[in-house]
Structure formats: C-alpha cells, structure tokens
Amino acid sequence: MTGDAGSTTGNVIHWARAYDVLVWVHTLGGERRFRERLVDLARPGAGQAVLDVGSGTGTLAIAAKGRVGSSGQVCGVDPSPEMVARARRKAAKAGTDIRFDTAVIEALPFAEATFDIVLSTLVIHHLTDEGRRLGIGEIARVVKPGGVVLVVDLGGADNERRRLRLRVPNHAHFELDEVAPAFDRAGLHVTDRGPVSSRGMLGLSNLRFLRATAVGQPSPEDSPTG
C-alpha cells in the first residue's frame, strides 16, 4: 500500500495497474490459482455475505462471488481510490455484482454483524500496532457471531524471512502468528493456522494464514474505542 488515505495507519498503493503486473510476476502467472486457494481456506457457501478488507484490484472478491452465487453478497474495501476503480472495472467486465468502497480497515463502513466471512490478505503487516488493534476490532465488529475470519500475511520459517529481508527489508520483521493473540482478545478464536500452499510462486512461499471464528465480545483493551 504509498501515500495516505483517510485515517489509515498503513501505506496505500495508488498504482493499481502496476500492482496487477507485480502480482502476476510474484505468482508466476498463477494469481487465479492463488486466490482460489484463499477462497478454499475461507470455505464460503451459497447465499453467504463476504467482506474483503484491503480488496486491492478485486480479484479475490470476484473469486469469492463465484462461490456464494447470485443469492450471496460480496463487498470489498480498500483505502486506495485507484484500486477501487480498477476493482469495479474488473467486476463489471466479469459480470459480477460486487460492491467496492474506498474505506480503511480502522473504520469499516458497515453495521455490526453484517458478514458471514471476512477476508484480509497482506494488509495487517502494513499497519502500526494501533492500526492493527483498531482493524482487528473492526473486523470482529462486522462479522456475525459464528462467522469466519481468514487473514493471510507474512510469516514462516526464519530462513524464509531472511530471504525476504533481501528483497523487502521493511517487511522482514513481521510474523503473522505473533499477532494471533490479538484476534483471540477481540473475540475471534483462532481455529486453524499454517502456511498458504504457494508452491512455485516466487515471493509467496512465506505466506501464512489464520482462520478464526467469531465467538464473543472483544476485551476492553482491544475494542476500537478501548
């Protein structure tokens, strides 16, 4: 994500077309396979409501829409107007009805308990500690009781992080598993975690996922207003 948008504590990517090229390069042309893998991990069903937080150019949201069908709802938010514009064009070209809005993870524009599933890919590591606290609290607020949260971000073995440090120095310190307690404190019980299968995808072998279930209210210190 460069620049600033709204009240986000993270960086914002404004080069949407170039971002798609970058993803194509890092997945060796396998972005669709990668996105389908993420949807498989989230396990959406027909008729469910899905939110993609940090939806970028819309590829994951479009893949999710294919699973929930015409009776389901998919929304995407991103702090970058350029990303949102490109996502809307992609959705229109694909003939899918998806709502994309310019918004930040720290202040999601949805009512409480709106979504069955919330997705977030490569967003959390961009945020400050305070931004993560607010963002995780907002995700917990908008997901339904019993709903699923799937977060994918950087992590993995030390040797993977050392290789990453050579390519992206400011990302090398982040470890998704170390953020897991914040999800539990926000009322999102982590039920599964592990590496994202990205064999043969340059630069993505260090990705991990957390899958959590919404089971309770956040503790005061982790609520957005705490």
Side-chain angles (χ1 to χ4, degrees), residues 78-108:
D78 198 277
S80 167
E82 294 85 357
M83 289 288 195
V84 169
R86 187 163 177 81
R88 287 172 177 168
R89 289 194 295 270
K90 279 188 178 182
K93 185 176 180 179
T96 58
D97 181 18
I98 301 175
R99 170 185 168 183
F100 289 104
D101 291 314
T102 304
V104 300
I105 188 174
E106 299 95 332
L108 296 174

PDB file of all heavy atoms in Angstrom, residues 78-108:
ATOM      1  N   ASP A  78     -11.042  -0.812   0.199  1.00  0.00           N
ATOM      2  CA  ASP A  78      -9.613  -0.537   0.090  1.00  0.00           C
ATOM      3  C   ASP A  78      -9.417   0.961   0.269  1.00  0.00           C
ATOM      4  O   ASP A  78     -10.266   1.760  -0.159  1.00  0.00           O
ATOM      5  CB  ASP A  78      -9.089  -0.984  -1.286  1.00  0.00           C
ATOM      6  CG  ASP A  78      -7.570  -1.122  -1.300  1.00  0.00           C
ATOM      7  OD1 ASP A  78      -6.869  -0.101  -1.472  1.00  0.00           O
ATOM      8  OD2 ASP A  78      -7.083  -2.263  -1.121  1.00  0.00           O
ATOM      9  N   PRO A  79      -8.311   1.376   0.900  1.00  0.00           N
ATOM     10  CA  PRO A  79      -8.076   2.806   1.095  1.00  0.00           C
ATOM     11  C   PRO A  79      -7.658   3.543  -0.163  1.00  0.00           C
ATOM     12  O   PRO A  79      -7.617   4.773  -0.165  1.00  0.00           O
ATOM     13  CB  PRO A  79      -6.958   2.842   2.149  1.00  0.00           C
ATOM     14  CG  PRO A  79      -6.244   1.554   1.955  1.00  0.00           C
ATOM     15  CD  PRO A  79      -7.299   0.552   1.590  1.00  0.00           C
ATOM     16  N   SER A  80      -7.354   2.815  -1.238  1.00  0.00           N
ATOM     17  CA  SER A  80      -6.876   3.431  -2.470  1.00  0.00           C
ATOM     18  C   SER A  80      -8.004   3.606  -3.484  1.00  0.00           C
ATOM     19  O   SER A  80      -8.566   2.621  -3.970  1.00  0.00           O
ATOM     20  CB  SER A  80      -5.780   2.561  -3.094  1.00  0.00           C
ATOM     21  OG  SER A  80      -5.506   2.959  -4.412  1.00  0.00           O
ATOM     22  N   PRO A  81      -8.356   4.845  -3.841  1.00  0.00           N
ATOM     23  CA  PRO A  81      -9.382   5.059  -4.872  1.00  0.00           C
ATOM     24  C   PRO A  81      -9.019   4.415  -6.198  1.00  0.00           C
ATOM     25  O   PRO A  81      -9.891   3.935  -6.928  1.00  0.00           O
ATOM     26  CB  PRO A  81      -9.450   6.590  -4.989  1.00  0.00           C
ATOM     27  CG  PRO A  81      -8.897   7.102  -3.703  1.00  0.00           C
ATOM     28  CD  PRO A  81      -7.851   6.117  -3.290  1.00  0.00           C
ATOM     29  N   GLU A  82      -7.734   4.390  -6.499  1.00  0.00           N
ATOM     30  CA  GLU A  82      -7.300   3.781  -7.759  1.00  0.00           C
ATOM     31  C   GLU A  82      -7.557   2.277  -7.768  1.00  0.00           C
ATOM     32  O   GLU A  82      -7.964   1.696  -8.776  1.00  0.00           O
ATOM     33  CB  GLU A  82      -5.810   4.070  -7.996  1.00  0.00           C
ATOM     34  CG  GLU A  82      -5.480   5.529  -8.234  1.00  0.00           C
ATOM     35  CD  GLU A  82      -5.292   6.339  -6.951  1.00  0.00           C
ATOM     36  OE1 GLU A  82      -5.467   5.775  -5.843  1.00  0.00           O
ATOM     37  OE2 GLU A  82      -4.967   7.538  -7.058  1.00  0.00           O
ATOM     38  N   MET A  83      -7.290   1.635  -6.638  1.00  0.00           N
ATOM     39  CA  MET A  83      -7.566   0.207  -6.519  1.00  0.00           C
ATOM     40  C   MET A  83      -9.061  -0.068  -6.653  1.00  0.00           C
ATOM     41  O   MET A  83      -9.492  -1.000  -7.344  1.00  0.00           O
ATOM     42  CB  MET A  83      -7.062  -0.321  -5.173  1.00  0.00           C
ATOM     43  CG  MET A  83      -5.550  -0.393  -5.051  1.00  0.00           C
ATOM     44  SD  MET A  83      -4.867  -1.736  -6.058  1.00  0.00           S
ATOM     45  CE  MET A  83      -3.220  -1.846  -5.365  1.00  0.00           C
ATOM     46  N   VAL A  84      -9.866   0.730  -5.976  1.00  0.00           N
ATOM     47  CA  VAL A  84     -11.315   0.547  -6.014  1.00  0.00           C
ATOM     48  C   VAL A  84     -11.845   0.735  -7.435  1.00  0.00           C
ATOM     49  O   VAL A  84     -12.685  -0.046  -7.913  1.00  0.00           O
ATOM     50  CB  VAL A  84     -12.005   1.508  -5.033  1.00  0.00           C
ATOM     51  CG1 VAL A  84     -13.510   1.519  -5.243  1.00  0.00           C
ATOM     52  CG2 VAL A  84     -11.669   1.118  -3.594  1.00  0.00           C
ATOM     53  N   ALA A  85     -11.359   1.740  -8.131  1.00  0.00           N
ATOM     54  CA  ALA A  85     -11.808   1.977  -9.504  1.00  0.00           C
ATOM     55  C   ALA A  85     -11.474   0.792 -10.402  1.00  0.00           C
ATOM     56  O   ALA A  85     -12.294   0.360 -11.223  1.00  0.00           O
ATOM     57  CB  ALA A  85     -11.173   3.254 -10.049  1.00  0.00           C
ATOM     58  N   ARG A  86     -10.265   0.263 -10.261  1.00  0.00           N
ATOM     59  CA  ARG A  86      -9.867  -0.881 -11.087  1.00  0.00           C
ATOM     60  C   ARG A  86     -10.677  -2.130 -10.716  1.00  0.00           C
ATOM     61  O   ARG A  86     -11.077  -2.902 -11.587  1.00  0.00           O
ATOM     62  CB  ARG A  86      -8.372  -1.154 -10.930  1.00  0.00           C
ATOM     63  CG  ARG A  86      -7.848  -2.222 -11.898  1.00  0.00           C
ATOM     64  CD  ARG A  86      -6.339  -2.172 -12.005  1.00  0.00           C
ATOM     65  NE  ARG A  86      -5.800  -3.227 -12.856  1.00  0.00           N
ATOM     66  CZ  ARG A  86      -5.756  -3.188 -14.183  1.00  0.00           C
ATOM     67  NH1 ARG A  86      -6.229  -2.129 -14.838  1.00  0.00           N
ATOM     68  NH2 ARG A  86      -5.240  -4.191 -14.873  1.00  0.00           N
ATOM     69  N   ALA A  87     -10.938  -2.319  -9.416  1.00  0.00           N
ATOM     70  CA  ALA A  87     -11.752  -3.451  -8.990  1.00  0.00           C
ATOM     71  C   ALA A  87     -13.156  -3.373  -9.564  1.00  0.00           C
ATOM     72  O   ALA A  87     -13.724  -4.390  -9.998  1.00  0.00           O
ATOM     73  CB  ALA A  87     -11.807  -3.507  -7.460  1.00  0.00           C
ATOM     74  N   ARG A  88     -13.736  -2.188  -9.577  1.00  0.00           N
ATOM     75  CA  ARG A  88     -15.073  -2.028 -10.136  1.00  0.00           C
ATOM     76  C   ARG A  88     -15.082  -2.354 -11.628  1.00  0.00           C
ATOM     77  O   ARG A  88     -16.022  -2.995 -12.129  1.00  0.00           O
ATOM     78  CB  ARG A  88     -15.559  -0.594  -9.902  1.00  0.00           C
ATOM     79  CG  ARG A  88     -15.922  -0.305  -8.451  1.00  0.00           C
ATOM     80  CD  ARG A  88     -16.200   1.164  -8.234  1.00  0.00           C
ATOM     81  NE  ARG A  88     -16.625   1.440  -6.862  1.00  0.00           N
ATOM     82  CZ  ARG A  88     -16.718   2.653  -6.331  1.00  0.00           C
ATOM     83  NH1 ARG A  88     -16.406   3.724  -7.085  1.00  0.00           N
ATOM     84  NH2 ARG A  88     -17.104   2.811  -5.079  1.00  0.00           N
ATOM     85  N   ARG A  89     -14.045  -1.936 -12.337  1.00  0.00           N
ATOM     86  CA  ARG A  89     -13.974  -2.258 -13.771  1.00  0.00           C
ATOM     87  C   ARG A  89     -13.846  -3.755 -13.989  1.00  0.00           C
ATOM     88  O   ARG A  89     -14.472  -4.330 -14.890  1.00  0.00           O
ATOM     89  CB  ARG A  89     -12.795  -1.516 -14.413  1.00  0.00           C
ATOM     90  CG  ARG A  89     -12.997  -0.006 -14.532  1.00  0.00           C
ATOM     91  CD  ARG A  89     -11.975   0.628 -15.459  1.00  0.00           C
ATOM     92  NE  ARG A  89     -10.613   0.522 -14.953  1.00  0.00           N
ATOM     93  CZ  ARG A  89     -10.034   1.431 -14.177  1.00  0.00           C
ATOM     94  NH1 ARG A  89     -10.721   2.505 -13.791  1.00  0.00           N
ATOM     95  NH2 ARG A  89      -8.794   1.279 -13.769  1.00  0.00           N
ATOM     96  N   LYS A  90     -13.024  -4.412 -13.161  1.00  0.00           N
ATOM     97  CA  LYS A  90     -12.868  -5.863 -13.280  1.00  0.00           C
ATOM     98  C   LYS A  90     -14.188  -6.586 -13.020  1.00  0.00           C
ATOM     99  O   LYS A  90     -14.552  -7.530 -13.740  1.00  0.00           O
ATOM    100  CB  LYS A  90     -11.825  -6.362 -12.277  1.00  0.00           C
ATOM    101  CG  LYS A  90     -10.382  -6.188 -12.690  1.00  0.00           C
ATOM    102  CD  LYS A  90      -9.506  -6.910 -11.663  1.00  0.00           C
ATOM    103  CE  LYS A  90      -8.047  -6.849 -11.991  1.00  0.00           C
ATOM    104  NZ  LYS A  90      -7.225  -7.593 -11.015  1.00  0.00           N
ATOM    105  N   ALA A  91     -14.902  -6.162 -11.981  1.00  0.00           N
ATOM    106  CA  ALA A  91     -16.169  -6.811 -11.643  1.00  0.00           C
ATOM    107  C   ALA A  91     -17.195  -6.623 -12.753  1.00  0.00           C
ATOM    108  O   ALA A  91     -17.936  -7.556 -13.095  1.00  0.00           O
ATOM    109  CB  ALA A  91     -16.696  -6.257 -10.325  1.00  0.00           C
ATOM    110  N   ALA A  92     -17.236  -5.413 -13.319  1.00  0.00           N
ATOM    111  CA  ALA A  92     -18.171  -5.156 -14.414  1.00  0.00           C
ATOM    112  C   ALA A  92     -17.840  -6.020 -15.627  1.00  0.00           C
ATOM    113  O   ALA A  92     -18.729  -6.590 -16.277  1.00  0.00           O
ATOM    114  CB  ALA A  92     -18.137  -3.677 -14.789  1.00  0.00           C
ATOM    115  N   LYS A  93     -16.556  -6.142 -15.928  1.00  0.00           N
ATOM    116  CA  LYS A  93     -16.125  -6.966 -17.055  1.00  0.00           C
ATOM    117  C   LYS A  93     -16.476  -8.429 -16.832  1.00  0.00           C
ATOM    118  O   LYS A  93     -16.836  -9.151 -17.772  1.00  0.00           O
ATOM    119  CB  LYS A  93     -14.620  -6.816 -17.268  1.00  0.00           C
ATOM    120  CG  LYS A  93     -14.092  -7.550 -18.493  1.00  0.00           C
ATOM    121  CD  LYS A  93     -12.614  -7.280 -18.690  1.00  0.00           C
ATOM    122  CE  LYS A  93     -12.089  -8.010 -19.927  1.00  0.00           C
ATOM    123  NZ  LYS A  93     -10.633  -7.735 -20.150  1.00  0.00           N
ATOM    124  N   ALA A  94     -16.378  -8.879 -15.569  1.00  0.00           N
ATOM    125  CA  ALA A  94     -16.694 -10.268 -15.236  1.00  0.00           C
ATOM    126  C   ALA A  94     -18.194 -10.506 -15.090  1.00  0.00           C
ATOM    127  O   ALA A  94     -18.636 -11.653 -14.941  1.00  0.00           O
ATOM    128  CB  ALA A  94     -15.992 -10.668 -13.940  1.00  0.00           C
ATOM    129  N   GLY A  95     -18.987  -9.421 -15.124  1.00  0.00           N
ATOM    130  CA  GLY A  95     -20.431  -9.543 -14.985  1.00  0.00           C
ATOM    131  C   GLY A  95     -20.875  -9.930 -13.596  1.00  0.00           C
ATOM    132  O   GLY A  95     -21.904 -10.584 -13.417  1.00  0.00           O
ATOM    133  N   THR A  96     -20.106  -9.521 -12.582  1.00  0.00           N
ATOM    134  CA  THR A  96     -20.435  -9.853 -11.200  1.00  0.00           C
ATOM    135  C   THR A  96     -20.903  -8.620 -10.441  1.00  0.00           C
ATOM    136  O   THR A  96     -20.412  -7.510 -10.659  1.00  0.00           O
ATOM    137  CB  THR A  96     -19.214 -10.438 -10.469  1.00  0.00           C
ATOM    138  OG1 THR A  96     -18.130  -9.504 -10.507  1.00  0.00           O
ATOM    139  CG2 THR A  96     -18.771 -11.737 -11.120  1.00  0.00           C
ATOM    140  N   ASP A  97     -21.848  -8.818  -9.544  1.00  0.00           N
ATOM    141  CA  ASP A  97     -22.412  -7.731  -8.744  1.00  0.00           C
ATOM    142  C   ASP A  97     -21.692  -7.688  -7.402  1.00  0.00           C
ATOM    143  O   ASP A  97     -22.036  -8.409  -6.468  1.00  0.00           O
ATOM    144  CB  ASP A  97     -23.908  -7.961  -8.545  1.00  0.00           C
ATOM    145  CG  ASP A  97     -24.561  -6.850  -7.736  1.00  0.00           C
ATOM    146  OD1 ASP A  97     -23.959  -5.766  -7.628  1.00  0.00           O
ATOM    147  OD2 ASP A  97     -25.667  -7.075  -7.199  1.00  0.00           O
ATOM    148  N   ILE A  98     -20.664  -6.842  -7.324  1.00  0.00           N
ATOM    149  CA  ILE A  98     -19.869  -6.708  -6.101  1.00  0.00           C
ATOM    150  C   ILE A  98     -19.786  -5.230  -5.746  1.00  0.00           C
ATOM    151  O   ILE A  98     -19.543  -4.390  -6.611  1.00  0.00           O
ATOM    152  CB  ILE A  98     -18.445  -7.270  -6.284  1.00  0.00           C
ATOM    153  CG1 ILE A  98     -18.500  -8.762  -6.665  1.00  0.00           C
ATOM    154  CG2 ILE A  98     -17.622  -7.081  -5.016  1.00  0.00           C
ATOM    155  CD1 ILE A  98     -17.146  -9.351  -6.975  1.00  0.00           C
ATOM    156  N   ARG A  99     -19.957  -4.919  -4.479  1.00  0.00           N
ATOM    157  CA  ARG A  99     -19.839  -3.535  -4.005  1.00  0.00           C
ATOM    158  C   ARG A  99     -18.410  -3.283  -3.557  1.00  0.00           C
ATOM    159  O   ARG A  99     -17.903  -3.959  -2.674  1.00  0.00           O
ATOM    160  CB  ARG A  99     -20.795  -3.297  -2.841  1.00  0.00           C
ATOM    161  CG  ARG A  99     -20.584  -1.967  -2.118  1.00  0.00           C
ATOM    162  CD  ARG A  99     -21.493  -1.854  -0.906  1.00  0.00           C
ATOM    163  NE  ARG A  99     -21.125  -0.736  -0.054  1.00  0.00           N
ATOM    164  CZ  ARG A  99     -21.727  -0.453   1.102  1.00  0.00           C
ATOM    165  NH1 ARG A  99     -22.721  -1.218   1.535  1.00  0.00           N
ATOM    166  NH2 ARG A  99     -21.324   0.590   1.823  1.00  0.00           N
ATOM    167  N   PHE A 100     -17.757  -2.311  -4.180  1.00  0.00           N
ATOM    168  CA  PHE A 100     -16.420  -1.889  -3.774  1.00  0.00           C
ATOM    169  C   PHE A 100     -16.478  -0.452  -3.271  1.00  0.00           C
ATOM    170  O   PHE A 100     -17.032   0.424  -3.939  1.00  0.00           O
ATOM    171  CB  PHE A 100     -15.433  -1.973  -4.939  1.00  0.00           C
ATOM    172  CG  PHE A 100     -15.069  -3.368  -5.352  1.00  0.00           C
ATOM    173  CD1 PHE A 100     -15.607  -3.933  -6.492  1.00  0.00           C
ATOM    174  CD2 PHE A 100     -14.185  -4.123  -4.588  1.00  0.00           C
ATOM    175  CE1 PHE A 100     -15.279  -5.225  -6.877  1.00  0.00           C
ATOM    176  CE2 PHE A 100     -13.845  -5.418  -4.955  1.00  0.00           C
ATOM    177  CZ  PHE A 100     -14.399  -5.971  -6.111  1.00  0.00           C
ATOM    178  N   ASP A 101     -15.916  -0.208  -2.087  1.00  0.00           N
ATOM    179  CA  ASP A 101     -15.906   1.125  -1.496  1.00  0.00           C
ATOM    180  C   ASP A 101     -14.489   1.517  -1.097  1.00  0.00           C
ATOM    181  O   ASP A 101     -13.671   0.662  -0.749  1.00  0.00           O
ATOM    182  CB  ASP A 101     -16.784   1.182  -0.243  1.00  0.00           C
ATOM    183  CG  ASP A 101     -18.256   1.053  -0.551  1.00  0.00           C
ATOM    184  OD1 ASP A 101     -18.727   1.719  -1.488  1.00  0.00           O
ATOM    185  OD2 ASP A 101     -18.934   0.269   0.141  1.00  0.00           O
ATOM    186  N   THR A 102     -14.231   2.829  -1.113  1.00  0.00           N
ATOM    187  CA  THR A 102     -12.979   3.355  -0.584  1.00  0.00           C
ATOM    188  C   THR A 102     -13.150   3.541   0.916  1.00  0.00           C
ATOM    189  O   THR A 102     -13.948   4.361   1.360  1.00  0.00           O
ATOM    190  CB  THR A 102     -12.622   4.695  -1.245  1.00  0.00           C
ATOM    191  OG1 THR A 102     -12.567   4.530  -2.664  1.00  0.00           O
ATOM    192  CG2 THR A 102     -11.276   5.200  -0.747  1.00  0.00           C
ATOM    193  N   ALA A 103     -12.437   2.740   1.694  1.00  0.00           N
ATOM    194  CA  ALA A 103     -12.565   2.790   3.156  1.00  0.00           C
ATOM    195  C   ALA A 103     -11.339   2.146   3.773  1.00  0.00           C
ATOM    196  O   ALA A 103     -10.606   1.419   3.114  1.00  0.00           O
ATOM    197  CB  ALA A 103     -13.837   2.062   3.613  1.00  0.00           C
ATOM    198  N   VAL A 104     -11.122   2.412   5.062  1.00  0.00           N
ATOM    199  CA  VAL A 104      -9.947   1.903   5.761  1.00  0.00           C
ATOM    200  C   VAL A 104     -10.360   0.825   6.755  1.00  0.00           C
ATOM    201  O   VAL A 104     -11.483   0.809   7.263  1.00  0.00           O
ATOM    202  CB  VAL A 104      -9.190   3.038   6.489  1.00  0.00           C
ATOM    203  CG1 VAL A 104      -8.728   4.086   5.486  1.00  0.00           C
ATOM    204  CG2 VAL A 104     -10.053   3.675   7.571  1.00  0.00           C
ATOM    205  N   ILE A 105      -9.440  -0.076   7.050  1.00  0.00           N
ATOM    206  CA  ILE A 105      -9.707  -1.174   7.968  1.00  0.00           C
ATOM    207  C   ILE A 105     -10.014  -0.668   9.374  1.00  0.00           C
ATOM    208  O   ILE A 105     -10.762  -1.298  10.122  1.00  0.00           O
ATOM    209  CB  ILE A 105      -8.504  -2.148   7.992  1.00  0.00           C
ATOM    210  CG1 ILE A 105      -8.849  -3.415   8.805  1.00  0.00           C
ATOM    211  CG2 ILE A 105      -7.246  -1.468   8.537  1.00  0.00           C
ATOM    212  CD1 ILE A 105      -7.762  -4.479   8.734  1.00  0.00           C
ATOM    213  N   GLU A 106      -9.483   0.500   9.720  1.00  0.00           N
ATOM    214  CA  GLU A 106      -9.704   1.035  11.069  1.00  0.00           C
ATOM    215  C   GLU A 106     -11.115   1.593  11.275  1.00  0.00           C
ATOM    216  O   GLU A 106     -11.499   1.866  12.412  1.00  0.00           O
ATOM    217  CB  GLU A 106      -8.687   2.141  11.370  1.00  0.00           C
ATOM    218  CG  GLU A 106      -7.239   1.685  11.346  1.00  0.00           C
ATOM    219  CD  GLU A 106      -6.567   1.915  10.001  1.00  0.00           C
ATOM    220  OE1 GLU A 106      -7.283   1.915   8.956  1.00  0.00           O
ATOM    221  OE2 GLU A 106      -5.333   2.084   9.977  1.00  0.00           O
ATOM    222  N   ALA A 107     -11.885   1.770  10.192  1.00  0.00           N
ATOM    223  CA  ALA A 107     -13.248   2.312  10.296  1.00  0.00           C
ATOM    224  C   ALA A 107     -14.080   1.745   9.156  1.00  0.00           C
ATOM    225  O   ALA A 107     -14.352   2.428   8.162  1.00  0.00           O
ATOM    226  CB  ALA A 107     -13.225   3.843  10.258  1.00  0.00           C
ATOM    227  N   LEU A 108     -14.498   0.491   9.280  1.00  0.00           N
ATOM    228  CA  LEU A 108     -15.256  -0.160   8.209  1.00  0.00           C
ATOM    229  C   LEU A 108     -16.678   0.390   8.144  1.00  0.00           C
ATOM    230  O   LEU A 108     -17.350   0.517   9.173  1.00  0.00           O
ATOM    231  CB  LEU A 108     -15.287  -1.677   8.448  1.00  0.00           C
ATOM    232  CG  LEU A 108     -13.917  -2.372   8.399  1.00  0.00           C
ATOM    233  CD1 LEU A 108     -14.053  -3.845   8.796  1.00  0.00           C
ATOM    234  CD2 LEU A 108     -13.295  -2.251   7.010  1.00  0.00           C
TER     235      LEU A 108
END
